[in-house]
Amino acid sequence: MDFRVEVGDKEAGTIPYESLPAFTYLFRELGFDVQPDTENQKVQLCSALNGKRIVLSSDYDVKYNTFRKHVLERKVLEYIQTFLSACGAKVMLIDEKKESESADFHVYFSLFEIPVIKEPILELIHNSKSSNKKLLDIFHYECTRTGTKFKSNEVVRGVNNPFINIQIMYPVTDEDFWEKLGEKYAMSITIGILARIQESSPLSVLSLVPMEILLNMFVHSGNTGLNLEPAMQKEKRLPEKKKFLLKKPAITKRKEAEVFLDYHIFIEELEERNKIKLIGNLHIKNIGTEVLRNPVICLRSTPSESIKISGQILPPNVAETLGVMKNEETKGWKYMNDEWFEEMENGETWICPIQTKNINPRQTESLTNLQISVLQPVENSNIRVEAFVFFKEQDLEISSSNQISLLLTKKQ
């Protein structure tokens, strides 16, 4: 007795009854919702997103409406809705904030055309429930691919459901935004959402692809029915001697690191002007297979005359004096050059370890308690601090995956 296999409302083929348990287990591992129906002799397969409620909406609380592009914003959301619906999710594009309570995941989105910037910026804000490395990696990769600066921040909000808030700012251009970037952003955001939802079961992403595509890719048979026999027979035909000679892939040595910033913004309201200060950390994570030695950090700030960077960083002569006085090596960080103050005034701050510092694979080293003061906030200006890390011995240079970016606009 054979069982019919149905994916949605389409028939994908048949399987023998005795193979039903193994078939059910396999496709559950691949992320499908498997529903055997012995009475009607069929098996129903549904994608991993089947029944998931995803809400898409504009960001209700965002400011700077002067630069906002509502029509293009809506168009991006409609494309995201189309992409996610094709994966089996129930996607609601709403305008009312109250509907978000019943969703498994909520995506807020806003789009701005900013006259004072020169390159697009995507800022991803997420709460602790939606924070995961895969989500950030996907957005970082997609932004790099589209030539967009990427910034991410985690916030704490009193909501029960995970969410992400995406803000895209792009410069004024004569080119059509949608033709150049709009459709790419819609696709990139969709990929990020799928990575977030499928994080715990990476293989379940296979269930989001139409079955006929999977069959054409992995099964070489004369029809589109579900038939794994040819692939299994090919493995059986492999001579025992050749099986023995198959070699395991060698582990490739990699010198690689991930650099990222986290920070908090403090604004003190004064009579004449507001005082802005940021407290943060710079993290260097070794994601390669080799030990990384003696990182040199460069913090580049613009505009240079408006920003002062300080923290637990010693001048070179002070670090040497402390070491002599204590008759031991002083730990921590120091400014790299004696002219560090002049370099800071020119927009660059160079920092290195006081003593030899090795970062082992999977280890993270951090420059903590960075204090960044905006001395003279100017309206309609873009305050930015970028981070770069150099490993001279390994000939390795890495830029931070995010940056500190503040857009100061004039109150309307």
Side-chain angles (χ1 to χ4, degrees), residues 1 3 17 20 35-43:
M1 179 174 64
F3 270 53
Y17 172 73
L20 185 58
Q35 301 174 4
D37 183 354
T38 54
E39 182 178 350
N40 297 306
Q41 298 181 10
K42 69 176 183 178
V43 182

Side-chain angles (χ1 to χ4, degrees), residues 7-19:
V7 183
D9 56 355
K10 296 181 181 179
E11 186 170 336
T14 59
I15 59 169
Y17 172 73
E18 57 269 22
S19 300

Side-chain angles (χ1 to χ4, degrees), residues 211-308:
M211 178 60 70
E212 56 269 23
I213 297 178
L214 285 177
L215 293 175
N216 288 334
M217 290 175 61
F218 300 112
V219 181
H220 304 285
S221 60
N223 54 60
T224 57
L226 191 64
N227 182 7
L228 300 179
E229 185 178 356
M232 296 172 62
Q233 288 178 348
K234 183 178 180 181
E235 173 64 21
K236 290 179 180 179
R237 289 197 302 267
L238 185 65
E240 292 298 323
K241 184 177 180 180
K242 287 189 177 181
K243 286 183 180 180
F244 178 77
L245 293 176
L246 289 176
K247 295 181 179 180
K248 296 181 179 180
I251 299 176
T252 304
K253 293 183 178 181
R254 292 181 293 108
K255 294 178 289 187
E256 192 174 356
E258 182 181 71
V259 179
F260 56 95
L261 292 152
D262 70 71
Y263 59 94
H264 299 278
I265 303 173
F266 300 90
I267 301 176
E268 182 180 354
E269 295 186 0
L270 304 175
E271 291 184 2
E272 297 180 357
R273 60 181 175 84
N274 292 335
K275 183 178 179 181
I276 302 175
K277 189 173 185 178
L278 299 95
I279 306 294
N281 309 294
L282 175 70
H283 305 284
I284 308 169
K285 182 179 181 180
N286 187 343
I287 58 175
T289 60
E290 303 291 299
V291 177
L292 300 177
R293 297 180 174 84
N294 301 324
V296 173
I297 299 169
C298 176
L299 300 176
R300 182 182 298 165
S301 55
T302 54
S304 58
E305 67 277 3
S306 299
I307 299 174
K308 178 185 176 183

